[in-house]
Structures are given as structure tokens and as C-alpha cells.
Amino acid sequence: MASIYLLLIFLPMIAAFFILLINNSSFRKAIVFLMSAILIGVALYSISQGDKVIVLSHSLNSALEYLITFADYFLLAIIFLIGTKLKNKLISLLAILQFVLMFVFEFKVGKLDVENVFFVDHLSFIMLLLINIIGPLIAIFALSYMEEHEKHLHLEKSRQNIFFTVIMLFLGAMNGLVISNNILWVYFFWEITTLCSFLLISHDQNEESIKNATRALLLNSIGGLSFVIGIIFMYYKSGTVALNEIISSQDSSILMIPIAFLTLAAFTKSAQMPFQSWLLGAMVAPTPVSALLHSSTMVKAGVYLVLRLSPVFIDTWLSKIVAVAGAFTFVSAALLAIFQSNAKRVLAYSTISNLGLIIALSSIAHRYAIYAAALLIVLHGVSKALLFLCIGSIEQGIGSRNIEDMDGIKYKMPIVAFLTLLGSVSMLLPPFGVLITKWIAIEVSTQNIAAMLEIILGSAFTVVFWTKFIGKILSDGKDRNKIEKFEFIKHIPLMAISILVVLVSIFLIQFTNMFVVPFFKSSFARYSGVSSTNIKELYVKDFFGFNPVVFFGVLVAAVVLGALIYRWFKPKRYVPVYMSCENSDNFGFRGEKDKVVSFEFKNYYFETLANEKTVTLVVNVLSIALIAIMFGVILK
Amino acid sequence: MKQALIVLASVVLSPLIGGLLTGIDRKITARMQNRFGPPILQPFYDIFKLFSKETIVVSNTQILYAFLFLVFNIVAVVMFLLKMDLLLILFILAFATTALILGAMATNSPYSRIGAHRELISVLAYEPVLIAMIVAIYFVTGSFNIQDILKHNSFLILDLPFIFIAFSYVLTIKLRKSPFDLSTSHHGHQELVKGITTEFAGPVLGLIELGHWYELVLLLLFVWLFFAKNIFVAIAAILICYFLEIVIDNISARLTWKIMLQLTWSVAFGFALVNLIWVYIKYRLL
């Protein structure tokens, strides 16, 4: 029984080893497809087993214990060496500090026995679904993307084996992170994801990518150090390092200090302000990497940790500050997204913004806030995976990731343009679920007026940058030549993810009943403020009267009706745009001496009001202040 | 059965009321400008004419967006009269505007695209004020549901005077009246031609016009919410409010989008915020 959980962690890692060893394209393809099928199968099987606390045989447990302890030090040594190689003393220093603290801690307290190796509940299931369905689909997409990518780079020797090795390692580590019960193990997998993201961001090995990867490593090392301090405090405050014991702990007040440090670690991993710069820098990596980092791995580890620890600290002053800090990231990242014309940066800021919302929701003491937080992890994951892969395809198609160059993309690359549209609409409009979580966020945040004001403003900003983005994808362009060819290995993963985007939103309530409510019941049972009303299954009327099926029904009806009306109004005549009757065509007018003057219109980026740099500076200062307040609150 | 009747009544009656009010608006405006003005039923003649015209478009997708604009507005009005969640109604209303913006951006016309972006800036200006208004109503009544809000036993305006001022302020933007008729105006001679609706014509423009009437009714229903205790007071308040909008429209010139943004965010949002905080203290903390 325990073996399926071990499989989830170690199978991708073994596959990674073989991919590294055998640098052969068809072998790699076979392994990626095989692993995808196995991972999805195993994940679904483990979910069918229900909530579990896994005890391994004594010998296996201690073997694993030694293995992971050793590997952990090894990992820190590698990060130290990378630091010295990059001539970045800070990274090396942070690695040494983690090493020493960890070593002294483990030496002093001796062997930390955690009998229950794996603690698998419905929150783990949600994460497993995300990691093992979206992750492999991105990997399959990357097969075709990376070939094209390397063609552009004119490499003599393919480095794809390293790329896919890291991706497989990443998926294994993420699985480990979400099912481990021993927080030291969580830390180990946490550090692997840091290393993996460093390797993936620096994949192209040019100056810019190495620089950005270094920044990612540095900021995540700060998080790593914070994590270690959190663990040590946790042990001395509660006498345990087992997650399931911590979250059922009766006295939350003594745990405030460790929770604050772990939350800070989560902030770095989820790229919350002021740590957002590493995720933006990560844009230089090949697009499947961005898709992976933003949807099913890396940044989701941070919000997972906050949501996991939420039962311990919810409705304390600490949680109120965390909610304000998360909501602050929500509003400021949305504001920064308005200034962006680079599609990937828009998406990156939108991710940061949504992660902020998830963190805010995770720390608001309200049943629906927790529901919405868990739902948003999934909804955001699927939509963002789709959007990044689409933007990657567009970039390879038209050679630019600037939104201003996407005029007429609906003619040039109809399939991808349509899927991009679906992805961005799912982040903004009803009846898709992301809107519902925003709606819940405003209604529940009335408990915390500062967070609420931030969410109100952020909500308006979100509408602005998404509308600009969608408007551009739908706009007319001069060049209407279709350049898109259907490629099985590239388009099938895209379509699969877009089907998931729609399905998750249609079955939002069923999904909540199946996964989120049980998680809430088991984790928040002891917390009376949240669960005072007896928790039953979620019926339609409980969800603020929102029924996705009805809304999708109205949508379908409207489309059918629209088609009929279209037949009725069928345009009889197409005309050029109005240019005071001086058109040459849709893209120019006759000027002096009938000379054709072409015009173009660009989106507003509000450069005259403010720019990204100043706003970033202000936002960073404010968010550092918030973090200082967060730590100030817990000091007695 | 009763609900079905409400749906039917709101779908049928709203455009009649909206059209009539628009006609009155035009008449009053004309008198203020020393003109005789069109008959009050003129908007209806206009819309019948629009629907009898040939369908001329620049791009096919425009029809879809015009249609969505109408549909979202109708859905919002129906949801209001079915006394559903206020915040969701506001979101639906925002998506009507989004549909219109996307429709204007679907063509390559610089006039309509600038109009679209100005409309987007308007959204940025009024959306926070509207949400703050709804949250303030929640603090006073303890509910987001119109059903429960109406059970409140006094006039909402007594608790929310500043919020009402802020709302009247953004109402000018929402109705696209001077000084905030940036994205489109009711006169065709401005620098943007007709701005956001430049590229719409014939029946497609008719759909948008119809959508506007629903929108107008919905916005005035928000006014009604503040005075819902007494129906006569409410009707009087709506009429006075609408008349004031017409007066402001006629005595002011257009401001630039920057000034609009600064004014709305400082003055209107400031007013809303002050009121929001005091009702928060009064109803939550005390």
C-alpha cells in the first residue's frame, strides 16, 4: 500500500536518471509518454484510496530517513558550490547557514522519529491532481517545443536530456512535498524544487538566463533559511516535526513564531512581494518551464504550505497581517500588469497576483475563504498552464512575445488564438470559476477591512489588464496569412488542458464537495470559529446561490440564440473602418496629395502616469514593511 | 410562477422605461439649450429605424459583442429584480462593459479603439467606488442579497450619505455624460467621432442602444436601493438624481481621462472610504 506513494516520488526520479543517461530523442519521448501515463494512473489510484496516514516498516523508514538526511546535506553542498561558481557569496553563505543550523539541530536533538511517514489528505489530492495531470501534459508539449527551441539556438549537442531530467525530478519532488508528513522531508523536497528551478531557468546558459537563475536561487535560499529556522522553532515550541500533529495542535499561540518563518519561506517560493522579481526573471527560460513553474509546481508549493498550516494560525493577529500582505500582492501585481506589453510578463504578474489572493484567502477565518483558496489553486493552475503554452506557441510562430505584435493572431494561428482566448476568458469572465473565487474573496474579506480594500482595487485592475490582453488577441491585423499547422504532439496537450479548464469550472461544486469540503472537515475540525456551522455537503444554495451548470446553460443558450440572431442580421455588406471617408484600406488613409498614410493603434500602458520601476520600488518598500509588521506582531 | 412573471416584466418594461427616460433627457437637454427638441418618443423611432436598416459591419465578431452587451445587461436587470446577490450583479454589469470594449477593439479603427481604452479607464475609475458602495451596504444590512437588504428597517441613505454622493459621482461616468463622456458622447462631432460606437451601425447599433436602456434602468435601481423604504420617496429621488445628471451634462465641458481618474480616485473614492470606515466602526466594532 505504501509503495504507491513511494512510486509517486521515486519513479519520476528514476526516469530522470535514465533520461540523463541516454541522450536519445525517441527514447526520451517514449519515457515521457510512459511516465505521464503511469503518473496519472498512480495519482488517481492513490486518490481512490482516500485519506491515509502511512507507516512504513521500521527498516525502510530509517533507511529513507538516512537517505533523505544525507541527500539534504548533499543538496546544500551543491547549492554552496553553485554559489561559489557563480561568485555569489550570498548564496554560498545562505547555504552554509542552512547547513550549519540543520546539522547542529539534528545533532542536538538526535534522531527525529516520525512514525507516520506520509500524511495524505484531500489537500494532497488536489495538489497531486494538479502535479500529475498538468505536469506531464506540459512535459509532452515540451517535447515538440524544445526541438524547435534548439533549432533556433543552433546547438551542436542537444541539451534536451538535461532539460527533461530536471522536469522529471521536479515532478517527483513536488509529489514528495505534498505527501510528506515529516516537515524535514518537506524541507528537503522544497530545496530540490529550488535547485530544479535554478537549473531550468539557466537552461539556455546565456548571460541573461544565468543572471536571472542566480536571482531565483538567491531569493529562494532566503526562503530556505527561513524554512530551517521555522522548523527549529517548531520543534522547540511543540516537540514535534510531524505535520499532522502540528495542524491538530490545540495551542496555536505558541506556534506563531515558527509559522511566521514558514510563511516567509512560502512568500519567497510563491514570489510574493517583495520577492516577485525572481519569477519575472524566470521568463527567460523556455516557455514550458514558465508553464510548469506557474501552474503545477514551484509557486504552488508556497501557497500549499500556507493553506496546509492555515488551521494552526487562522484567526490570529498573524493571520490578519498575512491576509493583508497577500491581498497587497494581489493588488500591486495586478497594477503592475497594466503597464506590461510583454505577454509573458502580463501572465507572470497575473500569477503573482492570484497567488497573493490564495494566501489572503487561506488566512481569512471563513469557511468559504478556505474553499475558494483551494479552488483557486486548481483553477489558476489549469488556466495558467494553458496560457503559457499558448503564448509559447505564438512566440515560436510570430517570433515575438509582445502583445502589440499579436494583431490578427486569430487569422495567423487560429487554434492557438482560440485557446489563448479561452484561457484568458476563464481568468476573467463568468461562468468560469476564477471569477467566483474573486467574488467569494470580496464577500468574506469584509472581516478584514484593510485586505478588503486591497481586493476591491485589485479586482478593478484585473479587469483592465485582462480586457486589454483579450482585446488584442481578438483584434484585426493587416497580415492574415495562416501560418499554423496542426501538430499532434503540440496541440493535443493544449486541447487536453483547455478541456480541463472548462470541466473544472462546470463541475466546480462537485469538485468542491469531493475534495475541498473533506479537506476542510478534517483539517479545520478543531477550529470552532470556522466550522461552527455544521458542515454538510455543499449544495447549490450554499455557494452564494451560484450554480455553474445554470450559468453555463445560460451561456450556451445565449450562443445558440446569438447564432440565430446572426443569421437574421447576417451582414449584407462589409465596409472599411470610418476614416472620414479618406480610407485607402482598413490600415491607412489618404493624406496630402493622396499619399497613403498608414496608421496603427497601440494599447494604453499609462506610461505618462507611472512606470513599472517606480511602482515596483514603492510596492517593495510597502511589502517589506508588511513583513516587518508580520514579525512584529508575534514578538511578545 | 411569480418569478417567471418578474423576469418577463423586467425584460419587457425596462427598455420602455429606459427609452422614455432617454426621450425626456433629450427634451430637457434641448430646452436647456433653447431648442425645441425632438418628441419624447424619439428614441423609440430611432431604434425602430436602426433595426430596419441594412446590416453593415467591419468585422463579423462585432455583432457577437453587441449581442453580449445586451444579454449581460438584461441578465443584470433580471437578477436585480429577482433580488439576488448585489456583488454578482455588479460583476455581470462589468462584463457588459467588457463586451462593448472588446467589440470596439475588434476592428482596426483608431476612433473606436481609443474609445475602448477610454472606456477601460472609466472602468478603472468607477469600479472600486461601486464595489465599496456594495460593501458599505453589507456593513449596514449584514447581507449582500437584495432580498435581505430590502428588509432593512430604515432608509439606507441615512447611514450612507457619502456613499450616495460618491455613487452619484460615478453615475455620471457610467451614463457617459459630461464632464466624463470620454469614451463616447451623444453628439457625433467630438474628436473621437462617436468613440466606442463609431464602427457600429444599423441593427447592431440598435442592440447596443437597447443595452444602454437596460443599463440606465439598472443604475437607477441602485439609486432606489438607498430610498427603498418608501416607494414615493424613491421615485422622487430617482427623478431628482436623473435631472441633476442632465443638468451637469449640460453645464460642463469634457475633462481628460487623467483628470477623471485623479478626481474619481481622490474625491469619489475618498468619500466612499470615509463612509465605509464609519459604518464599519458603527456596525462591526461597536
Side-chain angles (χ1 to χ4, degrees):
Chain A
M1 187 50 227
S3 56
I4 53 166
Y5 300 103
L6 291 171
L7 271 183
L8 277 174
I9 303 172
F10 291 107
L11 203 60
M13 295 195 175
I14 294 166
F17 179 72
F18 280 107
I19 295 174
L20 183 68
L21 221 57
I22 305 168
N23 191 1
N24 173 308
S25 156
S26 36
F27 172 78
R28 204 160 44 228
K29 267 186 194 152
I31 291 263
V32 168
F33 275 110
L34 187 67
M35 281 314 301
S36 305
I38 294 178
L39 279 181
I40 293 173
V42 175
L44 290 180
Y45 180 72
S46 73
I47 288 167
S48 72
Q49 298 300 307
D51 285 11
K52 277 260 174 354
V53 177
I54 302 294
V55 185
L56 294 180
S57 70
H58 187 72
S59 53
L60 186 57
N61 189 358
S62 41
L64 269 178
E65 197 80 58
Y66 279 118
L67 178 72
I68 287 187
T69 310
F70 174 73
D72 204 3
Y73 291 124
F74 183 66
L75 198 62
L76 288 170
I78 292 179
I79 293 176
F80 172 78
L81 288 176
I82 291 174
T84 48
K85 198 182 151 211
L86 293 168
K87 297 198 180 64
N88 193 319
K89 291 198 184 94
L90 214 48
I91 291 178
S92 305
L93 180 70
L94 286 166
I96 293 175
L97 276 176
Q98 288 177 62
F99 193 100
V100 172
L101 279 176
M102 213 57 201
F103 190 77
V104 172
F105 172 62
E106 292 197 324
F107 186 75
K108 269 194 102 166
V109 300
K111 203 160 169 305
L112 285 166
D113 259 333
V114 175
E115 205 186 339
N116 307 319
V117 180
F118 297 127
F119 164 55
V120 192
D121 72 343
H122 277 73
L123 179 61
S124 312
F125 292 163
I126 293 173
M127 293 299 292
L128 285 178
L129 281 176
L130 202 57
I131 298 161
N132 296 301
I133 294 178
I134 302 298
L137 284 170
I138 294 171
I140 292 171
F141 176 90
L143 287 172
S144 114
Y145 185 93
M146 288 311 287
E147 253 163 42
E148 183 93 20
H149 183 73
E150 295 207 328
K151 255 186 236 161
H152 282 288
L153 289 179
H154 307 295
L155 290 184
E156 277 176 25
K157 188 165 172 286
S158 165
R159 299 186 71 245
Q160 281 187 56
N161 59 331
I162 302 172
F163 185 83
F164 286 97
T165 301
V166 181
I167 285 192
M168 283 297 153
L169 198 64
F170 212 150
L171 294 181
M174 279 303 291
N175 280 334
L177 202 153
V178 300
I179 62 177
S180 293
N181 188 30
N182 185 339
I183 200 161
L184 288 164
W185 292 27
V186 176
Y187 166 71
F188 167 65
F189 292 118
W190 184 275
E191 285 300 292
I192 297 184
T193 62
T194 298
L195 185 66
C196 285
S197 68
F198 170 78
L199 293 172
L200 287 175
I201 297 167
S202 65
H203 180 78
D204 286 349
Q205 292 291 316
N206 53 35
E207 200 180 328
E208 197 190 5
S209 65
I210 290 174
K211 194 184 109 206
N212 289 326
T214 310
R215 190 189 301 145
L217 188 59
L218 176 66
L219 290 177
N220 277 298
S221 295
I222 296 175
L225 181 63
S226 183
F227 204 118
V228 173
I229 298 173
I231 292 173
I232 296 173
F233 270 112
M234 183 141 279
Y235 180 76
Y236 284 111
K237 290 278 180 184
S238 67
T240 178
V241 286
L243 267 179
N244 64 342
E245 287 173 38
I246 292 163
I247 56 174
S248 56
S249 153
Q250 289 301 316
D251 187 6
S252 60
S253 60
I254 56 165
L255 290 172
M256 285 305 103
I257 296 173
I259 299 279
F261 278 105
L262 291 175
T263 309
L264 182 65
F267 274 21
T268 60
K269 187 124 296 199
S270 288
Q272 296 295 288
M273 309 282 171
F275 305 106
Q276 80 281 20
S277 61
W278 78 259
L279 193 60
L280 294 161
M283 299 289 100
V284 299
T287 304
V289 174
S290 311
L292 203 63
L293 293 181
H294 282 259
S295 63
S296 60
T297 63
M298 199 63 183
V299 297
K300 290 283 152 60
V303 290
Y304 162 78
L305 188 68
V306 177
L307 193 52
R308 174 58 89 208
L309 295 171
S310 170
V312 189
F313 79 118
I314 201 157
D315 211 20
T316 60
W317 267 101
L318 179 62
S319 80
K320 291 193 171 89
I321 307 289
V322 172
V324 174
F328 182 74
T329 299
F330 174 65
V331 56
S332 45
L335 174 64
L336 284 162
I338 295 178
F339 301 122
Q340 307 302 321
S341 59
N342 177 328
K344 279 179 97 176
R345 283 180 82 88
V346 175
L347 297 184
Y349 274 122
S350 142
T351 296
I352 297 168
S353 175
N354 275 293
L355 294 170
L357 190 58
I358 296 172
I359 287 178
L361 285 167
S362 307
S363 39
I364 290 174
H366 195 290
R367 178 153 61 111
Y368 284 104
I370 306 297
Y371 288 172
L375 285 175
L376 193 52
I377 290 180
V378 176
L379 294 163
H380 174 262
V382 284
S383 293
K384 230 8 115 44
L386 178 63
L387 279 167
F388 267 108
L389 296 185
C390 285
I391 292 298
S393 307
I394 290 175
E395 192 184 353
Q396 286 192 335
I398 65 171
S400 167
R401 54 173 75 159
N402 194 321
I403 297 175
E404 293 303 330
D405 297 328
M406 290 183 194
D407 276 326
I409 196 75
K410 62 179 173 183
Y411 303 114
K412 289 187 218 165
M413 304 179 80
I415 305 173
V416 173
F418 175 74
L419 297 180
T420 315
L421 180 66
L422 177 73
S424 37
V425 163
S426 74
M427 292 294 294
L428 179 67
L429 297 180
F432 289 97
V434 176
L435 173 82
I436 312 308
T437 59
K438 215 166 34 167
W439 173 29
I440 295 176
I442 295 178
E443 300 213 347
V444 297
S445 66
T446 44
Q447 311 207 343
N448 185 332
I449 193 162
M452 182 201 73
L453 289 172
E454 290 169 339
I455 294 175
I456 288 177
L457 293 179
S459 164
F461 295 151
T462 310
V463 175
V464 173
F465 77 80
W466 277 123
T467 308
K468 282 201 310 183
F469 190 87
I470 297 171
K472 205 66 185 182
I473 289 162
L474 291 168
S475 69
D476 245 350
K478 202 167 190 170
D479 180 12
R480 293 189 174 192
N481 295 325
K482 194 175 159 193
I483 52 171
E484 186 175 45
K485 290 191 299 282
F486 183 81
E487 272 179 79
F488 188 80
I489 198 168
K490 183 164 149 188
H491 285 98
I492 291 299
L494 281 182
M495 286 172 183
I497 296 176
S498 43
I499 290 170
L500 287 176
V501 168
V502 177
L503 284 184
V504 177
S505 283
I506 292 182
F507 296 106
L508 197 66
I509 288 179
Q510 287 78 358
F511 187 85
T512 315
N513 279 336
M514 219 180 210
F515 292 104
V516 186
V517 176
F519 154 65
F520 184 82
K521 272 184 188 167
S522 60
S523 286
F524 290 81
R526 67 160 197 99
Y527 189 72
S528 59
V530 179
S531 53
S532 55
T533 47
N534 58 332
I535 310 160
K536 46 187 185 305
E537 298 298 286
L538 188 67
Y539 295 112
V540 171
K541 67 176 168 51
D542 296 331
F543 223 65
F544 299 113
F546 177 81
N547 185 344
V549 180
V550 169
F551 274 70
F552 272 97
V554 170
L555 187 76
V556 171
V559 168
V560 172
L561 193 64
L564 290 176
I565 289 183
Y566 177 74
R567 280 177 74 87
W568 182 25
F569 285 144
K570 198 164 180 60
K572 302 219 171 63
R573 200 142 61 82
Y574 290 90
V575 291
V577 299
Y578 177 78
M579 275 318 295
S580 311
C581 305
E582 285 295 341
N583 298 58
S584 70
D585 57 8
N586 263 345
F587 304 92
F589 60 90
R590 286 192 300 272
E592 195 187 350
K593 288 184 186 160
D594 278 357
K595 216 170 87 187
V596 175
V597 183
S598 66
F599 59 77
E600 58 178 347
F601 181 78
K602 291 194 165 143
N603 279 353
Y604 280 23
Y605 294 103
F606 304 94
E607 285 100 346
T608 48
L609 277 189
N611 59 46
E612 191 187 0
K613 231 174 148 183
T614 3
V615 176
T616 305
L617 183 69
V618 173
V619 161
N620 281 348
V621 170
L622 289 175
S623 51
I624 290 169
L626 274 174
I627 288 173
I629 294 170
M630 184 172 107
F631 278 93
V633 166
I634 54 168
L635 292 176
K636 281 266 160 68
Chain B
M1 189 59 211
K2 196 183 157 212
Q3 285 200 332
L5 275 178
I6 293 175
V7 173
L8 197 69
S10 54
V11 171
V12 177
L13 285 180
S14 307
L16 294 180
I17 297 170
L20 208 59
L21 283 171
T22 312
I24 295 170
D25 179 354
R26 289 179 67 175
K27 194 83 183 173
I28 295 174
T29 301
R31 288 294 159 86
M32 283 178 182
Q33 295 166 351
N34 270 335
R35 290 186 284 119
F36 184 74
I40 287 180
L41 293 181
Q42 186 63 41
F44 295 101
Y45 304 145
D46 288 350
I47 215 158
F48 284 128
K49 191 172 179 193
L50 281 176
F51 278 110
S52 66
K53 282 190 165 190
E54 183 191 12
T55 310
I56 299 174
V57 291
V58 178
S59 156
N60 270 339
T61 46
Q62 283 180 294
I63 306 172
L64 175 69
Y65 298 118
F67 175 67
L68 280 180
F69 175 69
L70 176 63
V71 168
F72 276 129
N73 271 317
I74 294 177
V75 169
V77 172
V78 168
M79 283 176 71
F80 194 102
L81 292 168
L82 288 176
K83 299 177 182 162
M84 290 167 81
D85 190 290
L86 212 45
L87 201 54
L88 190 61
I89 293 170
L90 192 66
F91 280 147
I92 302 280
L93 193 63
F95 298 130
T97 313
T98 309
L100 190 59
I101 293 169
L102 292 177
M105 280 173 84
T107 68
N108 196 48
S109 159
Y111 296 120
S112 76
R113 279 202 184 182
I114 294 175
H117 273 84
R118 288 190 181 174
E119 184 70 26
L120 206 50
I121 295 165
S122 308
V123 173
L124 197 56
Y126 66 68
E127 196 73 1
V129 179
L130 289 181
I131 300 180
M133 170 182 89
I134 286 167
V135 173
I137 292 176
Y138 167 79
F139 281 144
V140 175
T141 62
S143 174
F144 283 103
N145 246 324
I146 300 176
Q147 187 98 48
D148 303 323
I149 292 169
L150 292 178
K151 288 180 190 146
H152 187 64
N153 52 13
S154 75
F155 285 100
L156 269 179
I157 183 81
L158 297 177
D159 271 311
L160 304 169
F162 282 18
I163 291 276
F164 186 72
I165 294 171
F167 174 70
S168 320
Y169 197 104
V170 296
L171 198 59
T172 322
I173 307 177
K174 203 80 188 87
L175 293 175
R176 300 179 188 85
K177 285 189 176 299
S178 276
F180 301 129
D181 54 345
L182 292 151
S183 63
T184 182
S185 81
H186 302 282
H187 323 290
H189 56 254
Q190 58 163 316
E191 91 280 18
L192 285 183
V193 191
K194 271 285 273 178
I196 198 162
T197 48
T198 304
E199 298 302 335
F200 293 100
V204 189
L205 184 60
L207 290 176
I208 292 179
E209 210 47 51
L210 209 53
H212 279 315
W213 293 354
Y214 281 101
E215 196 182 20
L216 174 63
V217 169
L218 185 70
L219 291 169
L220 295 179
L221 280 172
F222 278 120
V223 177
W224 169 70
L225 217 49
F226 285 87
F227 302 91
K229 194 89 196 93
N230 184 314
I231 184 77
F232 298 107
V233 177
I235 290 173
I238 289 172
L239 291 177
I240 293 169
C241 199
Y242 192 58
F243 179 73
L244 281 177
E245 293 295 339
I246 297 169
V247 173
I248 293 167
D249 188 23
N250 279 294
I251 59 171
S252 52
R254 185 186 316 120
L255 296 172
T256 64
W257 65 263
K258 263 192 209 172
I259 298 177
M260 175 187 74
L261 209 53
Q262 281 159 1
L263 278 179
T264 324
W265 275 51
S266 53
V267 179
F269 196 60
F271 266 93
L273 207 57
V274 170
N275 205 159
L276 191 64
I277 291 170
W278 100 50
V279 292
Y280 176 75
I281 294 171
K282 189 170 163 190
Y283 287 94
R284 295 277 132 161
L285 300 183
L286 294 182

